[in-house]
């Protein structure tokens, strides 16, 4: 099913006007709900990180009408996440935290359609990030190269 680009764009316009509230909700909830991921951010400057995360969401939403432009940067991002110690099973935790932060910031605009649109968009982003991650593991791992 194609992504609901109009709904993603219009709801993200509302999020852009509240970047700080959004990223605050995001990291507060991530660490409260899933304390097991906290050590991954032990050496991270969280203010910078919040800006980088937000910029990556801007890139995703701005590229929805040209999805071919997303594969390369997201595969690169997924590959770097292996180096940060991120595992595939961490992605659903970040996904549910993202939806929660969106719901808090969007208020009444968080309709069932908005929830569906964002959860589908997150699946696409996850798939692209993990496909880059698999590719780099294959390059790095001699055992996998032999398959
Ligand atoms: C949609 C999925 C995600 C997006 C868009 C995203 C975005 C980003 C961005 C833009 C950075 C900045 C560094 C870079 O560009 O390489 C970053 C770093 C990082 N992310 Fe993610 N991320 C995602 C999923 C995850 C997941 C599932 C985890 C695991 C809990 C995670 C943990 C981290 C960590 C630990 C860093 C490194 C912080 C540092 O530099 O110390 N991310 N992420």
């Amino acid at each position: 099913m194609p992504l609901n680009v109009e709904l993603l764009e219009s709801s993200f316009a509302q999020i852009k006007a509240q970047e700080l509230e959004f990223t605050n909700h995001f990291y507060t909830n991530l660490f409260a709900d899933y304390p097991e991921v906290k050590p991954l951010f032990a050496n991270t400057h969280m203010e910078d990180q919040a800006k980088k995360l937000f910029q990556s969401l801007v890139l995703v939403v701005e590229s929805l009408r040209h999805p071919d432009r997303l594969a390369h940067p997201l595969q690169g991002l997924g590959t770097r996440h292996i180096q940060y110690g991120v595992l595939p099973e961490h992605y659903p935790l970040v996904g549910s935290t993202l939806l929660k932060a969106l719901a808090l910031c969007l208020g009444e605009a968080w309709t069932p359609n908005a929830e569906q649109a964002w959860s589908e968009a997150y699946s696409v982003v996850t798939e692209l990030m993990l496909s880059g991650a698999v590719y780099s593991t294959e390059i790095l791992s001699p055992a996998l190269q032999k398959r």
Side-chain angles (χ1 to χ4, degrees):
M1 215 206 335
L3 293 176
N4 190 340
V5 175
E6 281 83 16
L7 188 49
L8 292 165
E9 285 175 346
S10 63
S11 56
F12 196 67
Q14 221 179 307
I15 297 295
K16 260 184 147 175
Q18 28 179 341
E19 173 173 346
L20 265 187
E21 291 96 313
F22 174 82
T23 51
N24 281 342
H25 281 313
F26 179 84
Y27 285 108
T28 305
N29 284 323
L30 181 67
F31 297 145
D33 293 346
Y34 307 110
E36 66 269 32
V37 303
K38 227 175 163 181
L40 296 172
F41 294 88
N43 300 313
T44 304
H45 186 293
M46 287 313 295
E47 263 175 49
D48 290 349
Q49 174 60 25
K51 287 184 197 145
K52 288 180 196 166
L53 171 82
F54 202 80
Q55 275 316 304
S56 67
L57 296 179
V58 170
L59 171 79
V60 168
V61 176
E62 285 180 352
S63 306
L64 289 171
R65 292 178 190 273
H66 308 279
D68 49 306
R69 293 183 199 162
L70 273 177
H72 188 69
L74 288 180
Q75 284 171 347
L77 186 61
T79 302
R80 293 198 295 282
H81 276 68
I82 298 183
Q83 290 149 5
Y84 306 144
V86 175
L87 300 171
E89 53 264 39
H90 292 137
Y91 281 81
L93 314 185
V94 163
S96 75
T97 306
L98 180 77
L99 297 189
K100 200 168 171 179
L102 287 166
L104 282 166
C105 289
L106 288 175
E108 286 183 3
W110 186 245
T111 58
N113 280 348
E115 180 168 2
Q116 191 183 345
W118 279 100
S119 101
E120 285 168 5
Y122 184 75
S123 299
V124 170
V125 169
T126 299
E127 260 173 52
L128 286 169
M129 285 178 68
L130 288 176
S131 69
V134 168
Y135 174 67
S136 81
T137 313
E138 280 173 0
I139 290 176
L140 296 171
S141 156
L144 283 170
Q145 266 177 10
K146 281 191 208 132
R147 284 193 308 185

